[in-house]
Amino acid sequence: MTLHLPTSLSPTSSSSSPTSRSSAAPTRRSLLVGGAASLASLALVPAAAGRAAAAGAGPTASGAPVLVGRETSAAEQRTVTRRWAADTWRSLVAMTDEVTGLPADNITESLVAGDRSGYTSPTNIGGYLWSTVVARELGLITRAQASSRLVRTLRTVARLQHHRPSGMFYNWYDEASGDVLTTWPDSGDTVYPFLSSVDNGWLGAALLVVKGADRAAAPLAQRIFGRMRWDMFYDETGSPRPGGLIHGGFYDGATPPDFPGITGNHIRVGPDVTYTPNYYDTTVSETRITTYLGLIAGQIPPKNYYALWRTFPQSCDWSWPEMEPVGVMRTYFGQEVFEGAHTYRGLHVVPGWGGSMFEELMPDVFVPEETWAPRSWGRNHPLHVRAQREHGLIEAGYGYWGFSPSSNPAGGYREYGVDALGLNPDGYFSDQEKTNYDPGYGDCRAATNPNPTFGDGVVTPHAAFLAMMHEPQQAFTNLRGIQRELGAYGRGGFFDAVAVRSGQVARRYLSLDQAMVMGAVGNVLCRDVVRRAFSTKAVERALRPVIGIETFGAGRA
């Protein structure tokens, strides 16, 4: 049986499910110590029951207050949301080196250049690029200023040291110099330069956004994207799933001591490298962006998309996830797929690895998945958002919702999610106490905690902004409550996370999370600007025939 580790391979991709034969590569956590109209009928009562604009009144099913307030007009929502985006953009500008155009990974609430993290990643760089396009569309900067920023950053990216045979970039660079990191800025510990499939994926996605959105920067973006070989990560024959899987990444030089890697070279260009023994193997994951890019480039076949698990099999041999799935078998592109789903509060939802908003919705910022795949993502996205909302407001009684990996208000970094929406047996929990939901697995495994009592819930604003693409009114109301009642807001926009009962706030800004805010707002306020730039006719021809034929097991229970 394949072991699924709860550790992500990618420092910036905190919700992946790598299939593993051994331990994983470095993680971001070690560095950060210090609706959809089609389902409107499924919404959790009219928005008034869950509004969070003013002080709380009225109990939830668990006895905690549901925040209520006056109706907010569409014009006021737009004005306030644009103001939030302007402050978010301020934090991204503060993180970005004025010479290289590279953004730092994070910055404190001071927004002072000296408080930048001292390192960046391909994901951080990509996030700054698409955020710049959104800032232009919102009128926060001029078209000329946007082009200048994009060209400056891309000129630096073009000269960064990288793996030349594949065109892929290392995971950590000094944002001030562009040098590959070989020691961590604070501790001085050794860094073994690593090339992550999903982190390169987010840079690749951003390059396509720039190519489609800015004429001045488009040639540079195309040149960098054109040299990237996504099949460098794709193992067609050696992975444990028929159809082939994508490695977490590879080292092209020294590896950490005792690293149990796999030696090889999938593109057969250049010397062999040392691949991670871990593969990404779940479809509800931010890592599907790498599969999408491989499909767009014609370098990864459709069968990889259908090699990914929707849920694990319905069998006592696989009884270690949160619950027993329900579903049927279907076949696509010659691949047999178990279209499984978890059952939660009267819904069937296809789970991710940890049950976080990031896993479910970050690729949806770029690809109009609910339109191109109406019977799969078109069902699952609004159901996942609804499930997160019901968890926060009703099941856990936090009064707020939106759960995704983020800074821990108590210090460091942690994965947060809705346990019932994840396959990870150890869970991405929604509270500081790590309250585990376990309804058992049919007749195979008895329940240990089917009706948990939750503690100090941690909500992260970027999750609610992602949800705004599907439930704009409910997400806005939730965010306004987080700002006004929980005080999780500063000059750079929403702080990264807040614990709702203790009131602890993670008072810093992470560039990836701020970039997710900008991407979602761009789609909501600017007529899907990020999706339109990314999802050209050529991209649609490559992706829609692959993802559009599937029927998930998502829907009413």
Side-chain angles (χ1 to χ4, degrees):
M1 176 175 126
T2 303
L3 172 67
H4 293 257
L5 296 180
T7 326
S8 167
L9 294 177
S10 163
T12 51
S13 118
S14 309
S15 54
S16 325
S17 161
T19 299
S20 172
R21 300 176 199 155
S22 184
S23 58
T27 67
R28 184 184 193 182
R29 270 72 64 200
S30 63
L31 306 180
L32 293 176
V33 183
S38 62
L39 277 111
S41 62
L42 295 180
L44 168 69
V45 291
R51 284 193 187 101
T60 65
S62 64
V66 172
L67 297 174
V68 297
R70 64 182 177 82
E71 184 75 40
T72 306
S73 70
E76 183 180 355
Q77 284 188 40
R78 185 178 182 87
T79 297
V80 172
T81 303
R82 186 185 180 281
R83 187 183 309 130
W84 289 340
D87 291 340
T88 302
W89 174 244
R90 180 184 293 119
S91 74
L92 285 162
V93 170
M95 280 185 254
T96 303
D97 185 87
E98 296 79 359
V99 176
T100 65
L102 300 181
D105 182 85
N106 62 86
I107 195 169
T108 68
E109 66 175 312
S110 72
L111 301 183
V112 173
D115 290 335
R116 294 173 185 157
S117 62
Y119 52 88
T120 191
S121 74
T123 294
N124 299 148
I125 297 167
Y128 172 69
L129 292 173
W130 74 67
S131 296
T132 301
V133 171
V134 173
R136 180 196 73 193
E137 291 299 296
L138 289 170
L140 305 177
I141 55 177
T142 66
R143 184 168 294 272
Q145 288 169 333
S147 295
S148 176
R149 285 181 175 274
L150 293 169
V151 168
R152 180 186 301 120
T153 301
L154 290 175
R155 282 176 176 166
T156 300
V157 172
R159 68 170 175 79
L160 291 178
Q161 183 182 345
H162 61 281
H163 180 250
R164 290 192 175 275
S166 69
M168 295 297 166
F169 292 88
Y170 296 100
N171 244 37
W172 300 110
Y173 296 88
D174 183 319
E175 82 266 8
S177 67
D179 294 337
V180 175
L181 285 192
T182 55
T183 58
W184 294 123
D186 295 331
S187 68
D189 292 343
T190 299
V191 174
Y192 296 89
F194 177 72
L195 300 98
S196 158
S197 55
V198 68
D199 283 281
N200 275 284
W202 291 122
L203 176 57
L207 292 170
L208 290 186
V209 170
V210 172
K211 178 186 173 185
D214 191 278
R215 288 186 179 181
L220 261 174
Q222 173 56 38
R223 178 157 66 89
I224 298 166
F225 184 85
R227 69 192 188 195
M228 300 176 89
R229 290 285 304 269
W230 305 100
D231 48 347
M232 183 70 186
F233 299 109
Y234 173 59
D235 187 351
E236 185 170 12
T237 59
S239 71
R241 292 285 293 151
L245 296 174
I246 291 172
H247 289 276
F250 63 88
Y251 296 93
D252 66 347
T255 64
D258 303 319
F259 181 74
I262 300 170
T263 301
N265 185 323
H266 296 317
I267 61 173
R268 298 180 176 85
V269 178
D272 282 354
V273 300
T274 306
Y275 287 103
T276 64
N278 309 71
Y279 300 87
Y280 291 122
D281 67 344
T282 55
T283 194
V284 179
S285 169
E286 75 283 2
T287 61
R288 67 184 179 273
I289 194 66
T290 310
T291 293
Y292 286 165
L293 293 172
L295 288 167
I296 291 165
Q299 297 166 358
I300 293 176
K303 62 183 179 179
N304 168 244
Y305 183 76
Y306 289 103
L308 304 172
W309 296 110
R310 277 56 183 165
T311 66
F312 303 131
Q314 190 179 31
S315 163
C316 289
D317 291 336
W318 292 81
S319 62
W320 44 273
E322 299 300 331
M323 69 178 75
E324 183 177 15
V326 296
V328 299
M329 295 296 299
R330 294 194 175 94
T331 301
Y332 313 92
F333 291 95
Q335 296 288 118
E336 285 196 345
V337 176
F338 176 57
E339 292 290 2
H342 279 187
T343 304
Y344 181 72
R345 298 186 57 81
L347 308 174
H348 286 156
V349 185
V350 181
W353 179 239
S356 70
M357 202 78 81
F358 173 50
E359 297 169 276
E360 178 77 31
L361 291 183
M362 190 171 175
D364 189 49
V365 173
F366 301 86
V367 178
E369 293 175 314
E370 71 279 11
T371 301
W372 291 1
R375 294 183 303 275
S376 55
W377 299 113
R379 295 176 179 176
N380 213 60
H381 287 335
L383 290 175
H384 182 100
V385 171
R386 174 185 170 177
Q388 284 228 358
R389 174 165 51 82
E390 290 199 12
H391 175 74
L393 297 182
I394 298 176
E395 183 186 32
Y398 299 140
Y400 306 89
W401 56 277
F403 309 94
S404 201
S406 66
S407 297
N408 185 341
Y413 188 89
R414 226 189 85 186
E415 290 105 343
Y416 295 96
V418 177
D419 199 14
L421 304 180
L423 293 163
N424 182 356
D426 295 324
Y428 285 6
F429 306 107
S430 66
D431 61 7
Q432 295 292 55
E433 292 80 2
K434 299 186 177 181
T435 300
N436 183 58
Y437 169 74
D438 180 15
Y441 196 102
D443 296 330
C444 306
R445 179 174 58 76
T448 61
N449 197 17
N451 299 296
T453 298
F454 294 91
D456 195 10
V458 174
V459 293
T460 182
H462 81 254
F465 275 101
L466 291 174
M468 191 179 282
M469 297 187 296
H470 297 274
E471 289 192 355
Q473 174 66 56
Q474 293 93 330
F476 175 84
T477 299
N478 183 50
L479 285 161
R480 198 165 224 191
I482 291 171
Q483 178 188 24
R484 289 180 170 181
E485 303 303 319
L486 299 182
Y489 202 87
R491 291 193 307 117
F494 285 91
F495 290 123
D496 205 45
V498 56
V500 301
R501 290 181 177 148
S502 67
Q504 280 190 305
V505 177
R507 304 181 71 87
R508 63 173 174 176
Y509 303 102
L510 272 59
S511 62
L512 169 58
D513 297 352
Q514 299 296 79
M516 282 191 272
V517 171
M518 293 295 291
V521 170
N523 285 335
V524 171
L525 295 188
C526 305
R527 299 182 300 109
D528 282 337
V529 61
V530 179
R531 287 175 176 163
R532 284 189 288 111
F534 181 93
S535 297
T536 61
K537 291 295 183 184
V539 167
E540 183 175 1
R541 286 194 296 269
L543 294 187
R544 192 167 188 167
V546 178
I547 69 175
I549 62 174
E550 185 174 14
T551 300
F552 275 178
R556 289 184 181 272

